[in-house]
Amino acid sequence: WFESRTAARYALWNTFAYLSVAVIGYSFVFEKWKIYDSIYFAIVVFTTVGYGDLSPTNDASRAFTLFFALYGITILGIFFGIIGELILERHDEHMKK
């Protein structure tokens, strides 16, 4: 249980870091988007929805997005795995009582 909670904190920290990198990258370095647009785009990217209403406009931004998306999708997968493990541990503890 302790390891799962530590892993959950780690996953949340990585999600925060991911969104921070999105704001820095898309709002200040590559695209000059508004901060809320950068956060919105980051969420759309890591959930693999891809609405298409925002998209990178230059080669450097596209290259950044490629690696950014891979990192974000990985974080989301790990986070869901950790949440699933926490739910199963709680269920097992409840069934033992």
Side-chain angles (χ1 to χ4, degrees), residues 35-49:
I35 291 174
Y36 61 83
D37 283 338
S38 296
I39 293 171
Y40 166 77
F41 183 72
I43 293 168
V44 168
V45 166
F46 85 4
T47 58
T48 67
V49 173

Side-chain angles (χ1 to χ4, degrees), residues 7-77:
R9 277 193 220 110
Y10 181 72
L12 285 172
W13 184 89
N14 271 296
T15 304
F16 175 76
Y18 174 80
L19 294 174
S20 298
V21 168
V23 168
I24 292 167
Y26 295 114
S27 293
F28 300 108
V29 177
F30 297 111
E31 297 292 336
K32 310 300 184 215
W33 292 342
K34 294 177 181 169
I35 291 174
Y36 61 83
D37 283 338
S38 296
I39 293 171
Y40 166 77
F41 183 72
I43 293 168
V44 168
V45 166
F46 85 4
T47 58
T48 67
V49 173
Y51 291 120
D53 52 345
L54 291 174
S55 61
T57 58
N58 59 58
D59 290 339
S61 182
R62 288 184 191 110
F64 173 75
T65 302
L66 174 71
F67 295 105
F68 182 72
L70 291 173
Y71 178 62
I73 293 165
T74 302
I75 288 172
L76 189 63

Side-chain angles (χ1 to χ4, degrees), residues 1-11 78 81-83 85-86 89 93:
W1 165 250
F2 175 74
E3 291 175 8
S4 296
R5 291 186 72 185
T6 302
R9 277 193 220 110
Y10 181 72
I78 291 169
I82 291 167
I83 297 301
E85 183 180 346
L86 285 170
E89 284 179 5
E93 288 173 6

